[in-house]
Structures are given as C-alpha cells and as structure tokens.
Amino acid sequence: MQSTLTVHMLKLALLFTFVLATHQAQANEWQSYGKYEANYTYMSSQTHIGTASARLMAAKGELQLHLQARFQHANTSLQPIPASQFQITSLAVDEQKPQQQSLAAIDRLNYAIYTDQATWIIGRQAISLGQSYFFNPLALGSAASVPSLDAEYQRGIDAVSGDIWLDNGNLQLVMALGNDQDSDGANWRGSALLARYTSQWLGNELALQAGKIYGAYQFGAGISGDTNGVSYRLEAATTKPLSDMQLGDSFTNWVAGLGYQANDNLHMEVEYLHNGAANHASFAITRYLKGLSLSSNKAVTAASISYQFVPLVQGQWTEFYALTDDSQLGILALSYNASDNATLALSWQLTQGISNSQYGQLPETVALTFRDYF
C-alpha cells in the first residue's frame, strides 16, 4: 500500500511541475538543435529495412524538450517498438503494421531547479550511472539489448533526480517511475529509488551506490581514473531480486576495463564482464529477458579500436565474445564527414555461434546511414 501511494505521489509531482515549468519559462527564448537520419539495412536477399527519422532537441530556460519522429518500412515482419523500462506513459503516437511502423514521441520533457547547493530535475530525462564503456552493472535497469552503433543519444526516463554538492563529494538521488514487463502502469517492482555518492581519492573517482532498481535491491561500488593516457575502471554490484519476481537469490556482477588513447587518431577500449546473474542455469535466461542481467553468459569480453585515417574518415572495429556459449558479435564501421554537419556511415555486423547462443542468434547485416545535424 505504501509503495503504491509513493508512486501516485510522484505522478502528481510530475504533473504539477510541468504546469509550473510552462509558466516560468515564458520569458526565455527557445534554443534548438537536432538531426535527420536515413538508414538502409540489408540482412539477406529476402530482408531489407529502410528507416527515416528526425530528432529535435530544444530548451527554454529551465525547461527541456526532445521530440522524435520515425518511419520504418521492410519487406518482412518488423519487431514491435520496444517500451522503456522507466516510462510510465509513452507520450507517443505510433502505428504498427506487419511491414511498416511510424512513431512520433516526446522523448524528454523536464524542468530544472537550481539552488546554491544542488540541481533538481523533474520529468523525462537522461540518467547516467557508472563509468563502464560496454557493460554497466550499476544501471537502473539492464534490459536485454543489441549493442548500437549510434550511442550518442540516451533515452529519457520518467524521474526526479538531484545532484547535491557536498564539501567532500557529490550526492546523486534518483527516483524513477517504471513498470515490470507483466503489468501496465507504474508499480514498485518496476520503479527505482537510489542514492549514489562520489568523491575523489588520490586522483581516482570513488563511487558508492545503494537502493532499489528495476525488480531488485542493489548495492554497488566503483573506482575509475587514468594515468599516462591509460584509463581504468572497476565496478561491481550485488543485486537481490524482489521475492515476487521469483528470480532466485542474490548475485554479484563486476566489470573491469581499460582504455588507451595512443594519439589523436587511435583509441582503444577493452572490458571483461563477470555476470553472476548467470551462475544459476535455471535463472540465467529468465533474468536476462526480465532485464536483471547484462548477459545470458557468465563471462563476456568486449573490445573496440577506432582510428582516424584522415581528417574526414574514421574506422572502428568492435568485438563481443561470450565465453560461456562461444558466440561472437563483430561490428565494422566506416564513417565519412561529408560536411561540418553531415556524416555518412557504412557498417557490417558479423555473428558467429549456434542458433540459440547470445550472439549467434543475431542476424548478419550491412547498413548505410546518413545523418545531418542542424
């Protein structure tokens, strides 16, 4: 009963804040930017997918608004548009047909309150936790997803967040509304409520994090830093699923990673994931699909190398290797800066492994993407 009341109070707070923000932002001018994107993906002689999208990002005083529109057409059945773990309402209009999809949505809508000691943001916003490059054990939720070549944009979630500056560090508070995959509307199982404290120690950033995440309670910690062009990070989290999720006992995930900036042209990253969520075979797949696990494998490595061949051309190779089921995913990308605001990218996704392995079940694709920023 108390958890349900908390969720309803947060909903009312969000509604009240948006009404207040609209009135207080009237005296400021809108500032906006965005991008257009066109993508063609080839999977096989029978499967082609074309996508056109636009995204507008605007701000007016303390009010921030992001809009997106997308149209997709294929000569085969398309997957349904996925819902976010932490969006209590879609704020979207979409049409889904077997071979055609269209979507118009508000992806971010939030209002910031600034004080001498803190910044509070209320509404649909981006929340970043942790320093990991490929795998994030400290995330609010770890819904199963395929790695994306376009990681420049983070999806908004419905939350109240605060950054409080202390004498010896920083305290971040997050209250996010969400739902589990088995019900509609916000509920306690799908919501998050946590605190994260960060501080500096001998040139390193130390972090402690604890609270309620998607479907579980979590306690985590991390350390990160860099020296002589080499960055390093170690993050770990112990997660205890809620009893009514029926996903077993507590488990611990940890990630260790290194990055190296050799020069202005060459950059490398490598990470190793120990996935304690896959220790129990009976729960491994279910935890992954429910969003409590970063992988269906107990151990996964990932590495990438990017190189700027000439000022306008950059190449990147990214490799994921699941040690448990011996499956691999490789992504080769080549991008060309056609102008100051436009980029043309060609990518090739290669997979290896048996059909029911984590990466072996993914299709091999070739994609051509054009982005124009404004």
Side-chain angles (χ1 to χ4, degrees), residues 60-139:
K60 186 176 184 180
E62 294 81 9
L63 186 66
Q64 184 185 61
L65 173 65
H66 288 195
L67 304 173
Q68 67 160 317
R70 185 179 67 200
F71 176 79
Q72 194 169 52
H73 181 78
N75 61 345
T76 187
S77 296
L78 292 166
Q79 295 294 324
I81 299 172
S84 170
Q85 283 181 331
F86 295 103
Q87 290 185 355
I88 54 175
T89 180
S90 65
L91 295 181
V93 177
D94 63 81
E95 182 181 18
Q96 302 192 40
K97 299 178 181 179
Q99 296 182 345
Q100 184 174 298
Q101 293 177 351
S102 58
L103 170 72
I106 298 176
D107 210 24
R108 291 188 199 174
L109 177 60
N110 59 73
Y111 182 72
I113 301 173
Y114 300 99
T115 68
D116 292 338
Q117 295 294 324
T119 297
W120 298 92
I121 301 178
I122 304 175
R124 184 160 294 179
Q125 58 187 283
I127 299 291
S128 297
L129 302 170
Q131 299 292 332
S132 298
Y133 193 84
F134 296 105
F135 312 106
N136 186 2
L138 299 176

Side-chain angles (χ1 to χ4, degrees), residues 301-359:
T301 60
S304 74
I305 180 170
S306 60
Y307 187 76
Q308 190 90 25
F309 296 103
V310 293
L312 299 180
V313 180
Q314 177 175 318
Q316 180 174 5
W317 172 257
T318 304
E319 176 79 16
F320 294 84
Y321 176 49
L323 282 71
T324 309
D325 63 19
D326 194 30
S327 62
Q328 299 180 55
L329 167 66
I331 304 173
L332 177 63
L334 189 67
S335 63
Y336 170 68
N337 294 326
S339 68
D340 291 340
N341 300 319
T343 302
L344 183 65
L346 177 67
S347 63
W348 184 16
Q349 175 175 293
L350 301 168
T351 62
Q352 181 177 334
I354 59 177
S355 59
N356 62 346
S357 61
Q358 180 171 347
Y359 299 126

Side-chain angles (χ1 to χ4, degrees), residues 178-245:
N179 59 73
D180 57 33
Q181 299 175 0
D182 300 321
S183 61
D184 296 325
N187 56 47
W188 178 243
R189 286 195 297 178
S191 297
L193 178 63
L194 61 80
R196 176 181 173 87
Y197 174 77
T198 56
S199 183
Q200 294 294 316
W201 177 71
L202 297 178
N204 301 301
E205 181 179 278
L206 300 179
L208 295 174
Q209 180 175 308
K212 163 72 173 58
I213 63 169
Y214 176 81
Y217 295 101
Q218 184 194 79
F219 174 78
I223 181 172
S224 61
D226 62 83
T227 179
N228 297 324
V230 178
S231 61
Y232 49 87
R233 53 201 176 266
L234 176 63
E235 295 182 323
T238 295
T239 302
K240 180 177 177 55
L242 299 180
S243 57
D244 58 357
M245 294 287 284

